[in-house]
């Protein structure tokens, strides 16, 4: 089975709790298999999302907002 | 009924999730009625603890450590 990878930048994350919140929300998107967050406390963090089907940046943006953070941009 | 107040300094807290974790652990100490955390992200935060009976700084230190943070000092 092929998988799709989407990488997004997220602002406002400061600690492991933030990572857990964002990861949980993104994982709730249908098709998402894994989320790997590279925390940059106080700056822009990166989340690499692997999914079994295409997901949109808008879907990720909603999940990130639900967790209380802001999607900065899509770089891949 | 009289209450006792203890104020402690805690290092390492960065966001509301940290506040929630620390508050939850301190509230699990027998006798504690309320915990009011003044978050200073990236610096030293202060927790003001009101309890129905005397609690020790050591008890609070254990709770704070359980949440993953460090008690800095007792200033009251």
């Amino acid at each position: 089975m092929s998988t799709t990878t989407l990488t997004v930048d997220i602002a406002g994350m400061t600690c492991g709790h933030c990572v857990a919140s964002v990861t949980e929300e993104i994982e709730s998107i249908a098709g998402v298999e894994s989320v790997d967050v590279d925390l940059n406390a106080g700056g822009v963090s990166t989340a690499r999302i692997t999914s079994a089907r295409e997901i949109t940046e808008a879907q990720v943006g909603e999940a990130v907002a639900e967790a209380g953070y802001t999607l900065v941009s899509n770089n891949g």
Side-chain angles (χ1 to χ4, degrees), chain A:
Chain A
M1 188 177 72
S2 68
T3 56
T4 301
T5 301
L6 177 66
T7 304
V8 296
D9 290 340
I10 303 166
M13 299 169 66
T14 58
C15 72
H17 295 116
C18 300
V19 173
S21 293
V22 167
T23 299
E24 185 181 341
E25 288 296 337
I26 294 177
E27 283 178 342
S28 72
I29 299 171
V32 169
E33 295 185 335
S34 70
V35 181
D36 180 24
V37 176
D38 181 16
L39 175 66
N40 178 15
V44 175
S45 300
T46 302
R48 184 183 160 90
I49 306 155
T50 304
S51 55
R53 59 168 117 155
E54 290 273 349
I55 59 171
T56 67
E57 192 181 339
Q59 286 178 290
V60 177
E62 278 174 28
V64 168
E66 188 70 31
Y69 305 93
T70 308
L71 205 66
V72 175
S73 69
N74 169 23
N75 53 26

